[in-house]
Amino acid sequence: MNKVTKLIVIIMSIIATSMIFSGCGTITAEDLTGEYVLVDHGKETKEDGKKYYLMIKEKDIFFENKPAIEIRFTKQRYNQELDKYYYTNSDFYVDAKTLKEFDRQSRQFTLNEDKTIVIDDIQYKKISNDNVNLNDTNYTDNYIYRDLNNLPKYRNATDDTIRDIVYY
């Protein structure tokens, strides 16, 4: 009887320890950070010259008097003429516990049960834990637009021509 009791205690200890370290299946914001790919009609779609990343912009903040996390979803592009990566950013405030977005007035961030994310009705799937430096994402499409306008080649170009180059 003593051996059976010890065995039960050991099994319960192992289960309790695994539950503590595994988080009982909950997803954290850190689990979501990384590189993503566009999902179009159920198929992963890679786009030439574009990469998508989700990162934590600020942790342990408050939004609407609730614990929150500010996350950034960024689209990375590359301009060959300036030899620079530039970014288009979407920042969201999500509840620190549920990871659901607070403000749904302009953009939408949704976490699906299968760990895919939906932003403005477009679905993305995580493909790796790779990420870019948050400070690098401050060089946005506005700066590349300005820098292209300063090149002699584009000084007399129309806004539409430069927009086509920036937002390919």
Side-chain angles (χ1 to χ4, degrees):
M1 190 69 157
N2 195 13
K3 289 182 182 182
V4 172
T5 306
K6 281 184 180 180
L7 181 62
I8 291 173
V9 169
I10 290 171
I11 291 171
M12 288 175 38
S13 297
I14 291 171
I15 291 171
T17 303
S18 66
M19 285 174 44
I20 289 169
F21 288 111
S22 70
C24 297
T26 58
I27 299 172
T28 65
E30 288 83 5
D31 295 335
L32 296 177
T33 61
E35 184 179 355
Y36 281 75
V37 65
L38 178 72
V39 177
D40 187 22
H41 295 36
K43 285 180 61 178
E44 293 180 16
T45 306
K46 291 206 176 200
E47 299 173 284
D48 290 338
K50 294 181 189 174
K51 290 187 177 185
Y52 304 94
Y53 298 95
L54 184 73
M55 60 193 71
I56 296 173
K57 186 173 178 190
E58 193 169 342
K59 202 173 180 182
D60 300 325
I61 60 171
F62 284 87
F63 188 81
E64 296 180 352
N65 295 323
K66 295 179 184 175
I69 299 170
E70 186 177 8
I71 58 174
R72 171 168 283 175
F73 184 77
T74 189
K75 182 186 298 183
Q76 179 191 60
R77 294 183 182 100
Y78 178 74
N79 182 275
Q80 209 166 358
E81 292 182 79
L82 295 172
D83 191 29
K84 289 186 177 185
Y85 287 101
Y86 60 101
Y87 302 86
T88 305
N89 302 318
S90 298
D91 295 339
F92 304 96
Y93 290 96
V94 296
D95 183 287
K97 292 180 182 176
T98 65
L99 300 180
K100 291 186 179 185
E101 183 185 9
F102 285 104
D103 181 23
R104 292 194 166 262
Q105 291 176 6
S106 58
R107 294 194 172 96
Q108 294 181 338
F109 173 87
T110 307
L111 171 64
N112 291 332
E113 288 181 21
D114 62 357
K115 296 183 185 177
T116 59
I117 59 174
V118 178
I119 297 175
D120 296 332
D121 297 323
I122 301 171
Q123 186 175 2
Y124 300 89
K125 179 181 176 186
K126 184 175 176 179
I127 58 172
S128 78
N129 289 327
D130 295 343
N131 224 325
V132 293
N133 184 316
L134 182 62
N135 291 331
D136 291 345
T137 64
N138 292 329
Y139 188 76
T140 63
D141 45 0
N142 292 331
Y143 291 114
I144 202 81
Y145 185 88
R146 176 201 64 199
D147 293 347
L148 283 171
N149 266 321
N150 290 331
L151 292 177
K153 178 178 180 179
Y154 296 108
R155 280 210 182 108
N156 295 323
T158 65
D159 281 344
D160 289 339
T161 302
I162 296 176
R163 273 195 202 99
D164 289 345
I165 294 167
V166 171
Y167 298 108
Y168 65 87

